[in-house]
Amino acid sequence: MKDIMGMMKAATEMKSKMEAMQAELGDLVVEGQAGAGMVTVSLNGKGEMRGVRIDPSLFKDDDVEVLEDLIVAAHNDAKSKAEAEMQRKMAEVTSGLPLPPGMKLPF
């Protein structure tokens, strides 16, 4: 019975840590860049786009496809950074928990 009480206490602590982490991720802003910084995309920790900055030199009629590709690349760069930060924070929250090897949270 002692182990069950310990597990319940650990689960409650983890829940409060995860709620705090989710709130923190909502405030997190990461930037991804493409084209040597000519296009920058800002995302929050939830992967929602918050802004785009484009170097004015890219505004040429014949470079529209290049600009579109750079925006996609910058977004993907920012998203991978946000996901890496989320994984880092999740590892902090779940450290010390007896999770089976290879198990990742959230499911």
Side-chain angles (χ1 to χ4, degrees):
M1 200 59 150
K2 211 179 215 184
D3 288 333
I4 292 175
M5 295 304 288
M7 287 174 51
M8 294 296 288
K9 182 179 177 186
T12 302
E13 288 175 7
M14 185 175 84
K15 180 182 178 214
S16 64
K17 286 181 181 180
M18 288 185 75
E19 288 171 351
M21 181 194 71
Q22 288 176 341
E24 190 177 324
L25 284 174
D27 295 333
L28 175 72
V29 176
V30 294
E31 288 188 346
Q33 296 184 348
M38 296 181 83
V39 175
T40 302
V41 172
S42 300
L43 301 179
N44 69 8
K46 296 177 182 178
E48 299 165 339
M49 189 180 299
R50 293 296 179 203
V52 176
R53 282 191 310 262
I54 303 170
D55 188 293
S57 68
L58 291 174
F59 291 108
K60 298 178 186 170
D61 290 338
D62 58 342
D63 288 341
V64 172
E65 287 181 31
V66 172
L67 181 56
E68 291 169 347
D69 290 343
L70 290 173
I71 291 170
V72 170
H75 179 273
N76 290 339
D77 183 42
K79 187 170 182 179
S80 68
K81 289 177 182 177
E83 289 172 352
E85 185 65 16
M86 185 179 80
Q87 288 297 326
R88 187 187 69 76
K89 290 186 181 294
M90 187 62 73
E92 288 176 8
V93 169
T94 59
S95 68
L97 290 177
L99 297 175
M103 183 175 175
K104 293 182 180 180
L105 293 174
F107 302 104

